[in-house]
Amino acid sequence: FRAKLRWHEGPHTPPSKEQSTDDKSSSSPDEDDDEEPRTDGGTPGRKDGHEPEWRSPADPDEEIEVTRDCCPECGDHFDESVGVSPRLVEEIPDPQPPEVTQYNRHYYQCDSCGTETVATHPDCPDEGQFGVNVIAQSALSRYDYRLPYRKIADRFEQLHELELSGASTWHATERAARAGRCEYEQLRREIQRADVVHIDETGVKRDGEQAWIWTFRTTEHTLYAVRESRGSDVPAEVLGEDFAGTVICDGWTAYPAFSSNLQRCWAHILREAEDVAQKQADGKPIYQALRQLYVALQARLESDLNLRERAELQRVARRELESLIERSVPDGPVATLLGKIEGGLDHWLTFVGEPAVSPTNNAAENALREPVVLRKIIGTLRNDRGMFVHETVLSLLA
């Protein structure tokens, strides 16, 4: 039965949704009760030999002398204390009411050209009645603390006695996104100039319809883009059609349609090969050969190889892959796997020749974790404005 269930699980099925094969899960409660207690003296917490972690004490901002006049038991008067028992207490201030400031913005008219100008102040936003701290905290509460807008409004009232509606916190978050859009575009320009970019995408709903959130990640920057397309037009738009760097990606067809300079993710193909090996016996030697090749390449690259040695290693590894895909196997998952290996033959070994290229796309997958968590909370983005806010604030906080 479990073997049949495996056919309905892919290599990308989350562990939480996989069928358990643990024999202990079928044990009865009586068997659990018979489990013998530990006799090795082990306890939860820090292991033997590990240094303890202590919280550094804070420097006091104020010292208060706590004294007593008489004995609580007999009432006899104390002459003087015989010692001091200090205790550091860290406390947060009481909820602070908002500060209300009226900015009298003077406007002027040029005598020469007639242009009208209104004076600006850095703490006075261009629109709305809420200041920059309210705007920033609204965005942080939504995308860092993952709160619904109604809860954000409740938080403002509890902490600052500031009455807002859920819609007001949404508008404040939108203003934060508009204010940070210039920095978003600067991030995009930085990524366009990168030599290596990790790209990945995952689904997100836009007004109940399918859309996609893309991530573009370098060693220094992360950019998100929410689009209704999953095609090659998205990386062409974000990176530019003349992007000359190396793209690290999975096997989605949009990537070779965008660029020929790719590094296919070995983590993906190894997971798929392992999954195939569990479903079909002919897949076991394929998986073992792939894994051995990957481990051998990683071990060889740990030494300081020059470009000529890397090129030779790349040629040898390619011959290994070619001999692998030439194996005769029956139709089924193994044949499909070999077809994937053959389809990406020019892109599996880029990391061998280019030292700056990673063999896996783990960086992009890690960058998508936060959007995936938010997807479970938000459910759907309502419109283009929601897509704009989502990609902008996520990128600024990444």
Side-chain angles (χ1 to χ4, degrees), residues 162-276:
L162 178 63
E163 294 185 2
L164 284 82
S165 65
S168 296
T169 60
W170 147 249
H171 288 299
T173 305
E174 184 183 24
R175 289 173 194 146
R178 288 204 300 267
R181 193 64 183 188
C182 289
E183 185 174 348
Y184 176 92
E185 294 299 331
Q186 179 61 32
L187 284 174
R188 187 165 71 92
R189 288 189 289 270
E190 292 288 341
I191 291 176
Q192 287 176 340
R193 292 192 287 265
D195 295 327
V196 180
V197 178
H198 295 257
I199 309 179
D200 202 359
E201 80 292 324
T202 188
V204 66
K205 295 296 183 181
R206 191 262 190 204
D207 196 22
E209 300 296 330
Q210 186 64 60
W212 304 91
I213 181 165
W214 294 70
T215 182
F216 301 82
R217 189 171 189 181
T218 67
T219 55
E220 297 181 356
H221 306 293
T222 301
L223 188 85
Y224 297 96
V226 182
R227 299 292 184 271
E228 296 181 4
S229 169
R230 199 189 178 193
S232 60
D233 56 314
V234 178
E237 171 204 343
V238 174
L239 297 179
E241 295 183 357
D242 56 348
F243 177 72
T246 300
V247 172
I248 303 177
C249 58
D250 56 23
W252 180 236
T253 56
Y255 301 118
F258 165 66
S259 173
S260 60
N261 192 13
L262 305 177
Q263 169 60 57
R264 290 281 297 274
C265 179
W266 274 82
H268 276 78
I269 197 64
L270 288 174
R271 282 199 300 263
E272 292 184 27
E274 183 180 17
D275 184 69
V276 168

Side-chain angles (χ1 to χ4, degrees), residues 47 53 58 62 74 123 143 226 245 261 305 331 340 342 345 365:
K47 302 296 186 294
E53 292 288 340
E62 179 186 10
C74 65
D123 294 333
Y143 285 95
V226 182
N261 192 13
L305 302 181
D331 292 339
K340 289 183 178 181
E342 183 178 10
L345 190 58
E365 291 190 347

Side-chain angles (χ1 to χ4, degrees), residues 119-135:
T120 61
H121 190 280
D123 294 333
C124 180
D126 294 334
E127 59 179 310
Q129 68 183 85
F130 300 116
V132 293
N133 287 337
V134 175
I135 293 173

